[in-house]
Amino acid sequence: MTAGEGSGTGRDPSGTRSDLSGSAADVVQARDVAGGIHFHSTGREGASGESAPVPAQLPADVRGFVNRIADIEHMDRVLEQEEGSPGPAGVCVVTGTAGVGKTSLAVHWGHRVRHEFPDGQLYVNLRGYDPGEPVSAGQALERFLIALGVAPAALPTDLETRSALFRTLLAQRRLLIVLDNAATVKQVRPLLPGAGRCLVLVTSRSRLSGLVARDGAHRLDLELFDEPAAIELLYGTVAGYRSGDSEHEIVELAQLCARLPLALRIAAERAAVRPYMPMGELIENLRDESHLWSALSVEDDDEADAVRTVFAWSYRALPPQVARMFRLLGLHPGPEFSLHAAAALAAVPVREVSQLLDALVGAHLLEQIGRDRYQFHDLLRAYSTDQGRHCDSAEDRDAALERVLAWYVHTLDKCLNELPIPILEPVQDIELDSLPAGVQPLVFADPDSAAVWFDVERTNFVACVRLAVKTSNDRVAWQIPILLRGPFPPINAVDDWFATTELGLVAARRLGETAAEAILLDSMTMAYRQAHHLDKAEETGRKALEMFRRIGHPQGEALSLNQLALVNSAARRLTLAHSYLNEAEVLAERHNYTYILICVATNRPVIYRAAGRYQEAYDDAISALDLIRRSGSRIDEVDLSIEIMRAAHGLGRYDEAAYWAEATLPMSPTKLYDGVILLQYGNIQRDRGDPELALATYHRAAVILQQLGSHHREAETLDATGSAYAMLGRLEEAAHFYVEAANLYRRIVSNWGIAVALHHLAQASFDLGRSDSAKRYWNESLASLSEFDDPAAETLRESIDRSLRQLSTSNRESDRSDGI
């Protein structure tokens, strides 16, 4: 049954009572709870409680891998040592110079031992030495958590919580985790499992001594190939393509490549595709490139010089169109790119670009990592950029950047037209610039293909905004984050949301685009509210409101007022919240903004309920139900149904409240909504006399809310669990959960939550005969309430005052009894 069925009051017309269903993976069935409820999950369940996926993220094994026998044996010994070792997960750091083959060794060894890791392999290129931005620990954790079954919308917003969830999910698993190209310990440490059976393999040009000293990591210093290994690699690559080369010439070629595997592979490939050119002539050409590079380079690192010499040798052999493609790819904003993005850079048809990219892949100057995805080795990307500066005019480079940025903006716009996300109406004010010649944005056939593209390109959106700000492409720099304010909230992409919006604000201010600045400030307000940084949300919200008023933008003004109402409701400044919401409603009615009227209708019951005005909350929510359903907005209907459930509960109509909980959960759009509904349903079960059943429901809610990093709601669940134990007369357990709730509320600086949890803790302490503790807790609760003046706060104050008077009377009677 959905929320739309039944009578006008929302009560189940049959009068029957049923227990909440929902995802079978979350069910905890209970009647009499004899033991404690522990809020954690173990085993091989994913974050959703369902059977966890087994990630297999290692790149393809290296073809023609040679040598490294001693290094592989060393890593085998590390694995054997860690298998029987209790304590923290094992860590092995593979270090060495650029191009020495660290990644190849890590990937090859990973494939060799993957049977030892039945729960899978995780891999991330941290890009610590790329010319662009490295991958942060938070971004890497996002990828890992999604691979382990966490829904994107359920990702915790802060690094600490992501890292804690990652450790939790790995606690009972055995995975290999490869962290490639790490530059700093800071990138790595949040990605380390806690105690467990996992092994972490890190590659880096740095020694990462902190991991060895503090985390007990093993270090393997990777040396250059010895001469026999270098010769073996060269012979293995040219075998079947050339004949008649002398060993002396092969040795000389290996020496010119400094015996570095990356340089050796590129040189061997060039020799293989020129089977009739004498090896001596190839070597002479390579020596010439070496002289040329020496004239141009200020570096005195022999190994780096050898690598770059081979790059130059291979690059100069490319046909002009392929060489131009190579140079232009160095301008791409992000570390990896698609065929269509490359076509935009070059203003060349996709079919032709595919052939150019194939030529670069064949020359080992580019790596293909998917059907339509490519990336550079970081050294090759730097070389590509360097060649672009020397060979192409500034005008040509600027035009290529303009093309690729325009391609991303227009393709993102088309993508959002297909995605099932809320449309934020001021976005309609954005007028995109016309497309440059030779640029053709993608068109999406359905929402699924749009969602896949958005997910794959998300890292590049951030890179595009960074590059646009850096190169003064300021219109692109503010347009992309304005477009992203629609899809980011549902997937909780707070890190990218803040990063792009802050950069967009820089660009909008530089251009004097006040409307864009106001929209971005409103987006920032939404992000701060979602992250529960309410003071910052209030500050940016007021700035946005002021700007919308100054430029005469009533639609933006109404949305800002609505946003500020929600911020102040969350902060329990309820009179101010009502004032903002009323202003938003007046503006929306005057201009017939239906979308904003729906927002107001959904949000007003929230503020009434926060003030303890349950009848008004209920009446408003019921009266708005038809408007919401006519709008067709599923998520607004779920929000309103939750408010009806909460208001009915506050009015003591428990069966009706339970009906709404049971009807709303199947419509829940995200795990966060699941957690909210389950928490409230547990409260309903508790208050209608089923504390044992409530404990099981609280457990389901807590598992979800912990995994999401929803600290405020997790604290609510802890406090509610304490109240259920108190109803069962299990006061020590109740006190334990109240303490946990108060501590978590302190951590997130929620004075209202602290006051409520301490009041409950004081009552449990009093009932346990601990009068001194009870008095202290009640006084602390009163101090936390000092900033609140709403009716609910006044009711709580009066309750605490009565309890303190009762405590004082009890103490006096006890003193008289002792005197007798």
Side-chain angles (χ1 to χ4, degrees), residues 587-600:
L587 266 176
E589 287 176 341
R590 182 186 306 158
H591 296 277
N592 195 29
Y593 296 142
T594 304
Y595 169 74
I596 299 172
L597 287 172
I598 290 172
C599 292
V600 169

Side-chain angles (χ1 to χ4, degrees), residues 677-708:
I677 296 167
L678 287 167
L679 168 57
Q680 187 61 28
Y681 190 60
N683 292 341
I684 296 164
Q685 291 171 321
R686 175 200 63 197
D687 292 349
R688 71 180 181 184
D690 290 330
E692 300 98 334
L693 201 56
L695 283 173
T697 305
Y698 289 143
H699 177 253
R700 294 172 62 191
V703 168
I704 293 170
L705 296 170
Q706 275 187 340
Q707 291 165 344
L708 300 183

Side-chain angles (χ1 to χ4, degrees), residues 217-299:
H218 305 266
R219 183 190 286 124
L220 170 62
D221 293 318
L222 207 58
E223 302 293 339
L224 302 176
F225 270 179
D226 59 17
E227 191 171 280
I231 292 170
E232 181 184 352
L233 190 154
L234 288 170
Y235 270 131
T237 304
V238 302
Y241 297 95
R242 300 180 58 89
S243 61
D245 297 328
S246 71
E247 183 174 344
H248 170 74
E249 289 172 325
I250 295 293
V251 169
E252 190 173 1
L253 181 59
Q255 289 172 344
L256 284 170
C257 293
R259 304 197 311 277
L260 281 164
L262 176 63
L264 288 165
R265 288 187 184 279
I266 294 173
E269 181 64 30
R270 184 168 178 199
V273 298
R274 289 163 177 78
Y276 302 112
M277 180 179 285
M279 180 63 75
E281 187 176 337
L282 286 167
I283 289 172
E284 196 59 38
N285 290 344
L286 181 55
R287 279 208 188 93
D288 288 344
E289 297 294 348
S290 179
H291 294 317
L292 175 64
W293 184 263
S294 297
L296 296 175
S297 176
V298 296
E299 302 240 4

Side-chain angles (χ1 to χ4, degrees), residues 206-459:
S206 306
R207 292 182 61 78
L208 303 183
S209 299
L211 290 180
V212 177
R214 178 174 155 185
D215 302 283
H218 305 266
R219 183 190 286 124
L220 170 62
D221 293 318
L222 207 58
E223 302 293 339
L224 302 176
F225 270 179
D226 59 17
E227 191 171 280
I231 292 170
E232 181 184 352
L233 190 154
L234 288 170
Y235 270 131
T237 304
V238 302
Y241 297 95
R242 300 180 58 89
S243 61
D245 297 328
S246 71
E247 183 174 344
H248 170 74
E249 289 172 325
I250 295 293
V251 169
E252 190 173 1
L253 181 59
Q255 289 172 344
L256 284 170
C257 293
R259 304 197 311 277
L260 281 164
L262 176 63
L264 288 165
R265 288 187 184 279
I266 294 173
E269 181 64 30
R270 184 168 178 199
V273 298
R274 289 163 177 78
Y276 302 112
M277 180 179 285
M279 180 63 75
E281 187 176 337
L282 286 167
I283 289 172
E284 196 59 38
N285 290 344
L286 181 55
R287 279 208 188 93
D288 288 344
E289 297 294 348
S290 179
H291 294 317
L292 175 64
W293 184 263
S294 297
L296 296 175
S297 176
V298 296
E299 302 240 4
D300 55 6
D301 185 323
D302 290 340
E303 292 158 359
D305 187 62
V307 171
R308 289 169 182 164
T309 296
V310 173
F311 290 172
W313 186 50
S314 297
Y315 165 74
R316 289 182 181 275
L318 297 174
Q321 280 293 92
V322 179
R324 175 177 179 267
M325 187 79 257
F326 176 78
R327 297 192 303 269
L328 291 176
L329 291 175
L331 298 173
H332 186 270
E336 62 177 61
F337 47 87
S338 68
L339 172 66
H340 291 82
L345 269 167
V348 169
V350 170
R351 185 186 298 273
E352 184 178 336
V353 167
S354 179
Q355 296 170 351
L356 299 177
L357 297 181
D358 285 346
L360 291 172
V361 171
H364 286 282
L365 295 176
L366 187 66
E367 180 184 1
Q368 185 167 6
I369 56 174
R371 186 180 66 83
D372 182 32
R373 307 295 293 178
Y374 301 83
Q375 69 177 10
F376 275 128
H377 187 286
D378 54 1
L379 291 178
L380 281 162
R381 186 179 180 194
Y383 182 74
S384 165
T385 305
D386 181 75
Q387 287 303 303
R389 283 195 295 265
H390 282 99
C391 301
D392 298 319
S393 68
E395 291 77 10
D396 287 344
R397 298 197 305 273
D398 290 345
L401 278 177
E402 182 186 350
R403 287 193 297 269
V404 75
L405 291 174
W407 181 84
Y408 273 107
V409 173
H410 283 264
T411 304
L412 176 59
D413 184 52
K414 292 185 181 298
C415 171
L416 298 185
N417 289 334
E418 287 293 332
L419 289 179
I421 57 173
I423 299 300
L424 303 177
E425 296 198 11
V427 172
Q428 295 173 358
D429 291 346
I430 296 179
E431 187 173 332
L432 301 182
D433 295 337
S434 58
L435 280 165
V439 177
Q440 184 64 49
L442 290 177
V443 177
F444 301 95
D446 51 54
D448 287 343
S449 60
V452 168
W453 183 83
F454 183 88
D455 185 56
V456 169
E457 295 288 356
R458 213 179 94 188
T459 301

Side-chain angles (χ1 to χ4, degrees), residues 695-740:
L695 283 173
T697 305
Y698 289 143
H699 177 253
R700 294 172 62 191
V703 168
I704 293 170
L705 296 170
Q706 275 187 340
Q707 291 165 344
L708 300 183
S710 182
H711 300 311
H712 194 276
R713 294 182 180 92
E714 182 188 348
E716 280 187 66
T717 310
L718 292 168
D719 184 66
T721 301
S723 67
Y725 275 121
M727 284 184 68
L728 291 167
R730 294 160 65 172
L731 295 176
E732 290 288 1
E733 287 158 297
H736 165 77
F737 277 94
Y738 292 144
V739 168
E740 291 293 313

